[in-house]
Amino acid sequence: MSISIKTEQDLVELRIAARLGAELLDYLTPFVKPGITTKEIDRLAHEYTVKVQGGIPAPLNYAPPGYTPYPASICTSVNHVVCHGIPNDRALKDGDVVNIDVTVIKNGWHGDTSRMFLVGKVPPHVERLCRITYEAMWHGIQQVRPGAHLGDIGHAIQTFAEAAGYSVVREFCGHGIGRKFHEDPQVLHYGRPGTLEELRPGMVFTIEPMINAGRREIREMPDGWTIVTKDRSLSAQWEHMVLVTPTGYEVLTVSTGTPAPPAFVGAAQAA
Ligand code: MF3
Ligand code: CO
Ligand code: CO
């Protein structure tokens, strides 16, 4: 495994791409209402990325080995869809939850982030899954500092999510990111403290836990992309890009609309 260390110059570019990802989610937020289709959200995202941000939507035609080219500019994963949901013509309805996952390429650098959106009024158990998943991501982020290990991140996420009665998807993970969309390391959202790679300043990776209300098993749909829970239970996901700094971490995917960190995150740390 070879994990790239970003230089200060690299980070200037990467921070820009990451901010554009977050700003794209800010732009989409007011449109995520009952009645809109995910295909309409995809079209809005494509236009904004290309025409306003001068960027390229990384998902469009993305084709890792063994996959057919991804047919849209964002992923929209509704309710029991875990990840990689392809935008379609079904309108969002009151009570749905949707993860919107965007990746903007700017000057060759990637900005990858996702948030959960609550459509209209959602039942308390749905709101709880989204909130606990957000907190799980932040428990992972809080582990990030030089000398910590990737296993510390996975362990923090897994123990928190499972204590809340939920399960952690195993088949998809966070990833290093930079000039490449997906690079080393893999960032598992479960694991044991002190195991796997040691973190060093200049590493940048995503933390993007997928948490299911029911069992952790998943199924791939015949489209070759959409991943759903096998038991059709609800699934939630949040994603940030995180830099290992000399003293801790810096979240790169920030914008004016980025949700505040949970109360348990120290104000000084969350910068
Ligand atoms: N944005 C996703 C991630 O967080 C990857 C989506 S790949 C796509 O890694 F092709 F489905 F867009
Ligand atoms: Co993503
Ligand atoms: Co990602």
Side-chain angles (χ1 to χ4, degrees):
M1 179 152 71
S2 129
I3 304 175
S4 72
I5 299 296
K6 273 70 179 181
T7 67
E8 275 309 318
Q9 208 166 322
D10 293 342
L11 289 170
V12 169
E13 300 284 351
L14 195 49
R15 281 192 189 93
I16 292 169
R19 178 169 43 79
L20 290 178
E23 287 176 351
L24 174 55
L25 291 176
D26 291 356
Y27 168 71
L28 295 174
T29 299
F31 296 102
V32 186
K33 291 273 143 47
I36 195 169
T37 68
T38 47
K39 213 175 216 171
E40 283 165 338
I41 299 171
D42 179 61
R43 187 187 58 76
L44 289 164
H46 184 96
E47 297 267 303
Y48 191 80
T49 302
V50 173
K51 296 193 176 152
V52 178
Q53 299 185 318
I56 300 165
L60 189 58
N61 297 316
Y62 183 61
Y67 284 79
T68 56
Y70 186 77
S73 296
I74 61 172
C75 299
T76 52
S77 301
V78 180
N79 297 339
H80 71 291
V81 179
V82 174
C83 64
H84 303 166
I86 299 171
N88 61 30
D89 286 317
R90 248 202 13 253
L92 294 175
K93 60 178 198 307
D94 196 58
D96 283 343
V97 284
V98 56
N99 172 279
I100 302 182
D101 191 343
V102 303
T103 305
V104 175
I105 306 172
K106 183 74 177 181
N107 297 330
W109 295 87
H110 290 74
D112 183 9
T113 184
S114 81
R115 300 178 194 156
M116 293 302 295
F117 294 83
L118 282 55
V119 181
K121 190 166 163 50
V122 311
H125 73 278
V126 179
E127 187 276 333
R128 180 176 182 267
L129 174 68
C130 295
R131 179 171 44 82
I132 294 288
T133 303
Y134 186 63
E135 293 179 1
M137 174 184 69
W138 270 100
H139 280 294
I141 291 171
Q142 283 196 294
Q143 297 299 313
V144 175
R145 61 175 190 286
H149 291 256
L150 284 175
D152 301 340
I153 299 172
H155 181 73
I157 293 169
Q158 180 181 15
T159 50
F160 180 76
E162 290 181 352
Y166 300 140
S167 65
V168 178
V169 171
R170 307 293 175 103
E171 290 83 353
F172 298 92
C173 55
H175 50 91
I177 184 164
R179 287 190 183 279
K180 284 168 58 189
F181 193 168
H182 295 103
E183 53 185 56
D184 284 339
Q186 294 194 47
V187 182
L188 304 181
H189 303 114
Y190 61 93
R192 306 300 316 159
T195 64
L196 305 174
E197 192 80 23
E198 187 175 325
L199 306 185
R200 282 182 292 133
M203 291 180 176
V204 177
F205 47 79
T206 69
I207 298 179
E208 48 177 304
M210 282 142 274
I211 305 296
N212 298 345
R215 297 178 56 85
R216 67 175 172 83
E217 286 78 12
I218 58 165
R219 210 158 57 82
E220 184 182 294
M221 299 298 280
D223 64 27
W225 278 102
T226 307
I227 303 296
V228 298
T229 55
K230 208 168 176 180
D231 63 6
R232 296 185 65 87
S233 66
L234 283 180
S235 187
Q237 178 178 30
W238 291 80
E239 174 173 24
H240 267 317
M241 286 166 56
V242 182
L243 163 70
V244 185
T245 68
T247 55
Y249 64 83
E250 176 187 333
V251 174
L252 301 185
T253 31
V254 288
S255 60
T256 56
T258 305
F264 61 75
V265 177
Q269 267 187 306

